Amino acid sequence: MTTTPPSDITRAMPLACFHRYDIRGVLGETLDETIAYRIGRAFAQVMQAGKVVVGRDARESSPALAGAVARGLVDAGCDVLDLGLAGTEEMYFATAHRGADGGIAVTASHNPINYNGMKMVGAGARPLDPDGAFAAIRQAAEAGDFPATTRKGHVQQVGPAARQAYADKV
């Protein structure tokens, strides 16, 4: 996995994909890999995260967006626990079960095929306050003013073990 940030990462830009409680947007218009990268960097920064769970749905665009989120997290010094293809509920469970500082599911839920999005939680799979951490993540992602880091995180594939732990719990 490459950790080269997009070339325009420091340019401030409004992000219309942020809504009250989640992120969703039209692919190539309001959500793309550069924006996903910025969201990953911002999530790590705002949540002061050292370890984040990332999962994705089966949409064709989800692997690339999840990869961009993971690169943003890694470039911020955060370790990523990659679930791979997983339901949002699996991301919630894995976030709490693995003691992660947060979780991100790349999913468009019920939206049309030309959309994708993200759902995010904090430690313990707690929802993010829309006026607190979630708003701060948006602000940081829009600003693109990310601090330099001395440590790169790493990605660990945890899908099969996480799925088994989830199935055992259910």
Side-chain angles (χ1 to χ4, degrees):
M1 172 186 297
T2 180
T3 58
T4 304
S7 59
D8 63 350
I9 190 64
T10 59
R11 180 177 52 88
M13 62 180 1
L15 298 178
C17 59
F18 276 83
H19 296 274
R20 181 82 175 134
Y21 298 99
D22 67 359
I23 296 166
R24 60 188 182 284
V26 177
L27 292 165
E29 293 179 24
T30 58
L31 184 60
D32 60 20
E33 290 179 49
T34 297
I35 293 168
Y37 176 91
R38 291 169 81 114
I39 291 169
R41 284 292 302 256
F43 187 93
Q45 177 181 320
V46 170
M47 303 302 288
Q48 298 179 355
K51 179 171 55 174
V52 174
V53 171
V54 175
R56 61 174 170 78
D57 69 11
R59 288 185 183 244
E60 187 176 336
S61 59
S62 292
L65 292 175
V69 167
R71 284 190 301 277
L73 291 164
V74 165
D75 284 353
C78 185
D79 292 330
V80 174
L81 301 177
D82 186 358
L83 296 176
L85 183 62
T88 303
E89 68 281 0
E90 291 178 79
M91 179 274 291
Y92 294 153
F93 173 80
T95 299
H97 181 73
R98 299 293 296 251
D101 300 308
I104 302 172
V106 175
T107 177
S109 256
H110 59 279
N111 288 291
I113 195 68
N114 61 325
Y115 277 74
N116 212 327
M118 296 175 209
K119 295 180 181 174
M120 300 186 287
V121 294
R126 287 187 288 284
L128 300 182
D129 176 0
D131 298 318
F134 190 73
I137 292 166
R138 177 183 187 160
Q139 183 179 22
E142 287 181 332
D145 185 23
F146 301 112
T149 57
T150 56
R151 176 192 183 273
K152 294 278 188 190
H154 70 277
V155 177
Q156 179 184 0
Q157 304 298 322
V158 299
R163 178 161 292 125
Q164 186 60 55
Y166 176 69
D168 291 347
K169 181 70 173 178
V170 172

